[in-house]
Amino acid sequence: MSTVADLIAVSSEKPVYPQTKSKWFGKAADAKKLRLVFSFYSPDGNEVAMPLAAMSAYLKRDFPWVEVILKPILIVRDEVAYNPENYARSILELKPDVIAFSVMSPHWYPMEPYFEVLKSMQPELPICIGGYQAMLSQEQTIQNPNVDFICVGDGEYAIGNLMQFLRGSKDGAVDGMWEKLNDGEVFRTEPHQIGDLASLPFPDYDIFEKDGNFDDVNTSIFGPKEKVVLPVMTGRGCPYRCTYCCNTPLLDAWKVKKEFLRKYDPEAMVTELIRLRDRYNVGYFEFWDELFLSNLKFVHAFFAIYKERIGLPFSINSRVEVMNEKFCAEAKEAGCHTIWFGIESGDETYRSTMLGRKMKNAQVIEAARACKAAGINRLTFNIVGMPLETAENMRQTLELNRLIAPEFFFFFPYIPLRGTPLYERAKAEGLLLTTKRNLHYLSAANDKQFSLNMKEQPELLSAEQYNEICQEMLVFQESNNRLSFADDAGVEQLASVEDKSFSLVDDEQKAAFAERKYEAYPVEMFEPIAAAQAENSSGIISGIRGLFRSP
C-alpha cells in the first residue's frame, strides 16, 4: 500500500530493511482502529503544540482508522498528577497502541523519567520521539533505552507511515523515522522535507479542546486572558542563520533550499482563520511562524485580505530590519496589536560576531520608535548567559531595553542546543556542562537565584555577576512591563501574564530593589539617536550609559 509519503523519500538508494528484526511491524494488525496518544511537556503552562495539531489533521484526513488522543504533561496545573508515575498510569488507562512525544531540546532531560516509567509499566507500548530534539540530536535520542522510534524530519507523512507499519499494511521501513531493532541496531531513513503546504490540511485544533471549547485551555502566554487567543501559523521556515537557533541546522540540511520558506496561499489562510474565529469564538490571533515576515509579498497580500475580512487584533514575530514606519503603519491598519522581536544582546559587536545578528543598535532603536509611533506594542526577546558573554555585554542588553522601554521585556537564560553553531562554539571552548541535566530557561517559581547553564568564566562573567544582573533585569521587567489589551468597551486592561521566570525573587529581595524605578521614555527621545550614523552606532549605548545609572 503506497501513500503520498512515498513520493517525498529523499534517498533513492535505501539499504535493505530487515523486517524480521523489527519488534513492532504488524504489532497492531488485529486492531480495527489504532489508538495514538500524542504528548508534549509544558513547563510554562501553554497547552498547544502546533506540530501535533498538524499531524492530527493529516491522520484524520488520510487515516480515519487512527484515533488521536492528546495527553500533554501539564506540570504547572498539577505537579503530582503529572509526575512520571501518575502520568504513566493515566496513559495505561487509555490503552494506546503507540505514544508519540514532540520534544523540545531543553525538555529532553526532564522527560527521560517519563519514558522510563512508561516503558516499565507498559513494555509493549512503542514510544516515538519527534520535535527538535529528535531532529537535531538524533543519536542521543535513539540511544535512550526506552525509545523505539524517532521522527527525524517533518512529521505528517512519517507518522502516517508508522501507523501503517504497526498495522502491518505497508512493508519496509518507516520512511522519515529511525527504528531501534531487536538486536539493538538502528535502522535509519532520511528525514522528510515537505515543501508544499497545500498538500496538507490545516492544523486540527479539536485535539486541544476541553468539553468542546477553549474556556479551560491555556493557549497563550502573552495574549489577553479575557479573550480566546489562538496560535496560528501562516507558513514554515526562516531565511536567517542565527547561531543559537534550531532553524539554522535545519536550513543547512534542507535539500531544495527554495522550498524551505513555505507559506499558505493568503486567501486560503484567511478563509481558515475565519473558520477558526467562528468555530471557537476567537478574539485574538497569535502568529507563531518562526518569522512572520519571511515572505513580504505574502505579508502585504495577507494584511489586505485580513483587514477586510477578519479585523481581529493579532501579534507577529518580526525583525527590526523591516520594521520601518511604512511597514508598522500597514501592520497596525491590519489589526496588529503587538510585534515580538529579538534583540538577544545589547552589544552589537557580540550580537553580530557570536549570534549572527547583523543589525545595529540604531536599527533596533528606530524600529522600536516606528513601532511605538504606529501604536503597536513591542515585546523584546533577550538571551543571557551565552558563550563568551561578559558582564558588560549583559548590562548593555539591559540598558538598550531601558532605552526603548518595550511594553514587554522578556529575557531567558541561554540553552546550548545541539546542532547549532553556537553549541559547537561552546563545545570548542569547553563550556558545556555534562553533569547538569536541568538546563532551565523558564525558571521554577521557587528559584531564588539565576544560575548559568554553562561553565563559569569568572574573568568574563562570574556566577555572582550573572545573578546580580539578572535580578536587575527582573526588577526592570516587573516595573516596566505594561502590555495591555482593550476590552470590548475600549478600556485598556493591563495584561495578566504568568510565567515561571517572572517569580524568581522573594519579598525581601524585591524590597532591596524597590527604590529603582525606570520610566518609559517618550518617542521623541529616540529620534536624534536613531539618526546617528551606522558606523557610530556601537557607541550609542555606551555614550548615554550614565543617563541610566541608578544613584
Side-chain angles (χ1 to χ4, degrees):
M1 177 179 181
S2 79
T3 69
V4 67
D6 299 320
L7 303 179
I8 66 165
V10 176
S11 174
S12 58
E13 296 182 3
K14 300 180 181 179
V16 176
Y17 174 65
Q19 193 160 287
T20 57
K21 294 169 64 175
S22 173
K23 180 179 179 180
W24 305 108
F25 177 77
K27 189 70 175 179
D30 297 332
K32 292 184 179 180
K33 208 170 180 65
L34 262 67
R35 178 169 289 186
L36 163 66
V37 171
F38 275 137
S39 185
F40 64 98
Y41 181 81
S42 176
D44 58 8
N46 179 61
E47 298 178 34
V48 172
M50 293 301 291
L52 299 184
M55 288 187 286
S56 177
Y58 172 69
L59 290 171
K60 287 183 177 181
R61 186 191 71 179
D62 289 10
F63 301 91
W65 43 269
V66 176
E67 179 185 5
V68 177
I69 300 173
L70 181 68
K71 190 71 174 178
I73 302 171
L74 306 176
I75 58 172
V76 173
R77 280 191 175 249
D78 191 328
E79 291 187 6
V80 174
Y82 289 99
N83 69 29
E85 291 76 17
N86 289 330
Y87 178 80
R89 292 188 186 98
S90 71
I91 297 300
L92 185 63
E93 293 175 357
L94 296 173
K95 298 180 179 178
D97 295 293
V98 59
I99 185 167
F101 292 89
S102 180
V103 183
M104 295 176 63
S105 298
H107 301 162
W108 176 245
Y109 291 126
M111 287 197 70
E112 283 192 304
Y114 290 87
F115 310 146
E116 183 178 3
V117 175
L118 269 172
K119 190 62 79 170
S120 67
M121 288 187 181
Q122 306 180 65
E124 295 305 307
L125 176 66
I127 295 177
C128 178
I129 309 297
Y132 282 127
Q133 170 65 26
M135 297 167 73
L136 301 181
S137 304
Q138 297 167 344
E139 297 296 340
Q140 180 194 39
T141 309
I142 197 64
Q143 286 171 9
N144 182 291
N146 304 300
V147 171
D148 303 294
F149 296 91
I150 66 171
C151 180
V152 292
D154 287 338
E156 288 89 345
Y157 298 153
I159 197 69
N161 283 339
L162 179 59
M163 295 301 102
Q164 294 176 88
F165 180 87
L166 295 173
R167 201 184 200 191
S169 58
K170 183 181 179 183
D171 291 331
V174 183
D175 279 336
M177 293 200 180
W178 290 9
E179 179 190 1
K180 191 179 296 171
L181 302 173
N182 276 330
D183 60 3
E185 291 296 315
V186 175
F187 191 86
R188 298 165 171 82
T189 70
E190 294 287 342
H192 283 177
Q193 299 178 345
I194 303 176
D196 180 17
L197 294 185
S199 66
L200 301 171
F202 283 104
D204 169 34
Y205 288 85
D206 291 352
I207 62 170
F208 305 121
E209 290 181 358
K210 294 179 182 177
D211 300 323
N213 56 59
F214 283 150
D215 293 346
D216 190 33
V217 180
N218 184 10
T219 59
S220 170
I221 296 176
F222 299 117
K225 302 301 180 184
E226 68 277 7
K227 298 179 184 291
V228 175
V229 179
L230 207 63
V232 291
M233 295 183 68
T234 67
R236 301 178 188 178
C238 174
Y240 295 96
R241 286 182 165 87
C242 301
T243 63
Y244 51 86
C245 181
C246 291
N247 175 82
T248 299
L250 295 183
L251 173 55
D252 289 341
W254 202 263
K255 302 295 183 181
V256 183
K257 294 293 191 286
K258 67 179 182 180
E259 294 181 351
F260 186 70
L261 301 179
R262 295 146 286 170
K263 286 287 188 181
Y264 292 108
D265 174 77
E267 285 279 358
M269 186 75 239
V270 169
T271 299
E272 173 63 6
L273 294 180
I274 292 172
R275 186 191 72 81
L276 293 172
R277 179 197 65 188
D278 297 345
R279 169 70 175 83
Y280 299 111
N281 192 30
V282 175
Y284 190 103
F285 285 113
E286 284 186 350
F287 289 98
W288 280 10
D289 305 51
E290 292 98 329
L291 181 64
F292 183 77
L293 302 171
S294 63
N295 183 326
L296 284 175
K297 181 179 180 181
F298 166 88
V299 170
H300 295 314
F302 177 78
F303 277 168
I305 305 170
Y306 185 97
K307 175 179 65 175
E308 178 183 351
R309 298 177 57 190
I310 298 181
L312 291 178
F314 61 88
S315 56
I316 60 173
N317 186 21
S318 182
R319 298 263 306 198
V320 300
E321 292 93 330
V322 297
M323 289 167 58
N324 56 30
E325 289 187 358
K326 182 179 180 181
F327 171 80
C328 290
E330 182 181 4
K332 178 64 176 178
E333 188 177 356
C336 185
H337 172 271
T338 302
I339 292 181
W340 311 343
F341 58 96
I343 293 177
E344 316 310 0
S345 172
D347 185 305
E348 63 184 32
T349 299
Y350 179 91
R351 189 171 60 227
S352 174
T353 58
M354 292 293 293
L355 306 183
R357 300 291 300 265
K358 304 299 184 182
M359 73 273 198
K360 301 292 186 180
N361 283 344
Q363 290 176 286
V364 175
I365 295 169
E366 171 57 22
R369 186 207 64 79
C371 199
K372 185 177 179 68
I376 298 175
N377 292 286
R378 292 90 37 91
L379 186 153
T380 65
F381 292 113
N382 304 270
I383 310 175
V384 293
M386 294 178 283
L388 306 183
E389 186 180 28
T390 67
E392 181 61 19
N393 295 154
M394 282 187 65
R395 291 191 179 97
Q396 290 188 43
T397 301
L398 177 56
E399 290 175 4
L400 179 56
N401 277 278
R402 284 176 180 170
L403 173 62
I404 66 176
E407 282 66 35
F408 204 103
F409 164 70
F410 189 72
F411 73 103
F412 50 93
Y414 168 70
I415 294 285
L417 299 176
R418 287 172 180 258
T420 61
L422 198 56
Y423 174 94
E424 296 302 327
R425 179 65 183 272
K427 183 178 180 180
E429 297 286 345
L431 299 177
L432 297 179
L433 295 173
T434 57
T435 56
K436 185 176 182 181
R437 298 177 69 82
N438 242 340
L439 303 181
H440 72 277
Y441 66 105
L442 296 174
S443 303
N446 61 350
D447 281 354
K448 301 303 179 184
Q449 290 187 332
F450 293 86
S451 60
L452 289 162
N453 288 329
M454 294 184 305
K455 293 180 181 178
E456 180 186 19
Q457 289 188 294
E459 71 280 9
L460 299 178
L461 175 66
S462 69
E464 182 179 359
Q465 288 175 315
Y466 175 72
N467 177 63
E468 177 185 348
I469 301 171
C470 282
Q471 297 288 3
E472 289 187 45
M473 288 182 169
L474 186 64
V475 173
F476 171 67
Q477 184 183 70
E478 293 177 340
S479 62
N480 171 81
N481 285 1
R482 59 202 184 281
L483 186 63
S484 61
F485 307 90
D487 61 21
D488 293 336
V491 179
E492 288 285 313
Q493 301 291 333
L494 190 66
S496 174
V497 180
E498 296 295 333
D499 187 275
K500 289 186 173 184
S501 63
F502 304 162
S503 307
L504 294 173
V505 293
D506 57 24
D507 292 339
E508 183 178 345
Q509 288 171 309
K510 288 179 181 177
F513 289 102
E515 298 298 320
R516 308 184 74 159
K517 303 292 184 182
Y518 307 112
E519 299 178 357
Y521 295 92
V523 173
E524 292 74 21
M525 180 179 178
F526 299 157
E527 293 175 350
I529 301 174
Q533 296 295 319
E535 58 266 27
N536 295 326
S537 61
S538 61
I540 290 177
I541 300 304
S542 59
I544 59 175
R545 186 170 294 135
L547 180 62
F548 299 108
R549 292 292 187 203
S550 297

